[in-house]
Amino acid sequence: MTAVCIVLLPSAGAPNGGLPLAGPLPAGAAGAAVPGRVGTWNICNPCGSGNDFGRATEIATYAPQVIALQEACVRDVERIRRYLEEVYGLVYRVEYGPVLRNWNRCGGLPWRPGGYGQAILSAAPMTDRVSVEYPDGGSEDRGYLAVTTLVDGRPVRVFNTHLAERRQAEVRRGQIEVLAAEFARHDRAIVLGDFNAVPHAPELAPMWALAPDTDPGCRPSTTDTDTEADGEACTTTTDWDSKFDYVFLRGITPSTHHVRPSPYSDHHLVYADLNRGQAASPLKRPSSRSGLR
């Protein structure tokens, strides 16, 4: 028991109460949560341990107002939020949509395993949380999380989803039917997530019928002969050069689209700046702890 306590308690001599020391963010990094910026990132589980501070640094660099995380363990997201606030001065609320309680995935005690699934971080408060598990998850339970929050000062319904693995197209087809039916109910909505499908995959058709992705040159193919050209027009979002991650907008138009590779995941961090439809007060970054920057 003594040994366990030594491992779990931070060292009394550790600086900043055991928090990592942060180096300067890259040139051009955001100074505060950026109004109208939304992002999605499959943070990869498992991709090694001890990556939560690096993930927090990636998020702090781009500072989206809303970011959707997939393959997220509750304990990992709690640490990421702590680093974002106490090291980088970015305060995010969080909502979770766990689809599994899995000791192998997320640790914890065998009789109290950690929650695994989706999470949404938002600089503004979130309401009307709904977490839905798809009737058929494929080889692993999958679902979506939805909240209402403010993006650039205006209310919007935000969805975060992770669909069945890449060789399970028929399962994804059923999942997209569930997601698209709910997405279609909202005049202003954003769907963020890892769809595990390339843009011309037939199962994505219901999403394309409702909304465009923020990648300006990326659209579904209209004929079989367009498939190759379609793939070349889309910015890839994974380490294996496929586009699986999307930002679908309904009733909102994008301004810019960005894809940023990361050493902390096999998926890239994807974010979009939306057209500013209404002025909003800047979300200012509070002062960081002394000595942490």
Side-chain angles (χ1 to χ4, degrees):
M1 182 62 72
T2 301
V4 170
C5 291
I6 291 172
V7 171
L8 294 179
L9 292 174
S11 169
N16 311 314
L19 288 172
L21 291 172
L25 293 174
V34 180
R37 177 171 291 177
V38 298
T40 182
W41 193 17
N42 182 323
I43 58 176
C44 185
N45 181 307
C47 270
S49 60
N51 289 336
D52 293 329
F53 181 66
R55 291 164 173 158
T57 301
E58 294 284 271
I59 294 170
T61 298
Y62 310 111
Q65 192 173 1
V66 173
I67 185 164
L69 304 178
Q70 302 88 43
E71 297 194 18
C73 293
V74 171
R75 290 183 182 91
D76 291 344
V77 175
E78 288 173 348
R79 284 191 292 268
I80 290 169
R81 284 183 70 216
R82 183 187 178 207
Y83 296 147
L84 284 167
E85 180 171 357
E86 298 188 24
V87 178
Y88 294 112
L90 286 165
V91 178
Y92 284 100
R93 287 82 169 175
V94 64
E95 291 289 353
Y96 296 102
V99 292
L100 292 173
R101 298 282 176 182
N102 192 294
W103 185 82
N104 290 327
R105 284 280 197 182
C106 296
L109 299 174
W111 55 90
R112 193 185 174 194
Y116 168 84
Q118 286 73 247
I120 296 176
L121 302 181
S122 175
M126 292 176 279
T127 61
D128 304 318
R129 170 193 172 274
V130 174
S131 181
V132 173
E133 189 171 325
Y134 294 123
D136 183 359
S139 56
E140 181 179 81
D141 293 349
R142 296 290 164 92
Y144 74 78
L145 170 66
V147 300
T148 298
T149 189
L150 297 179
V151 175
D152 195 19
R154 302 181 65 189
V156 62
R157 193 67 171 164
V158 177
F159 295 80
N160 177 14
T161 193
H162 186 198
L163 300 189
E165 294 180 356
R166 67 184 92 173
R167 293 182 177 86
Q168 300 173 2
E170 285 305 311
V171 176
R172 288 196 301 275
R173 188 188 304 275
Q175 293 171 348
I176 287 174
E177 288 176 358
V178 173
L179 176 64
E182 184 61 26
F183 185 36
R185 295 180 57 244
H186 301 275
D187 293 332
R188 282 178 50 82
I190 303 170
V191 174
L192 306 161
D194 173 9
F195 282 71
N196 271 318
V198 294
H200 56 264
E203 66 268 24
L204 278 185
M207 293 301 301
W208 289 116
L210 291 170
D213 177 61
T214 56
D215 189 343
C218 188
R219 297 293 178 267
S221 302
T222 55
T223 68
D224 290 341
T225 58
D226 288 340
T227 299
E228 183 175 352
D230 170 70
E232 293 175 354
C234 301
T235 305
T236 61
T237 65
T238 66
D239 286 353
W240 52 93
D241 295 330
S242 293
K243 177 178 170 64
F244 279 1
D245 305 271
Y246 296 83
V247 180
F248 287 108
L249 301 181
R250 182 170 171 83
I252 309 167
T253 57
S255 173
T256 59
H257 175 85
H258 308 268
V259 178
R260 298 291 185 254
S262 168
Y264 304 107
S265 177
D266 54 355
H267 285 250
H268 307 337
L269 193 156
V270 179
Y271 70 91
D273 291 315
L274 310 182
N275 278 328
R276 305 289 299 275
Q278 177 178 323
S281 299
L283 299 169
K284 293 186 177 179
R285 186 192 296 255
S287 299
S288 300
R289 279 187 177 184
S290 175
L292 294 183
R293 289 298 301 275

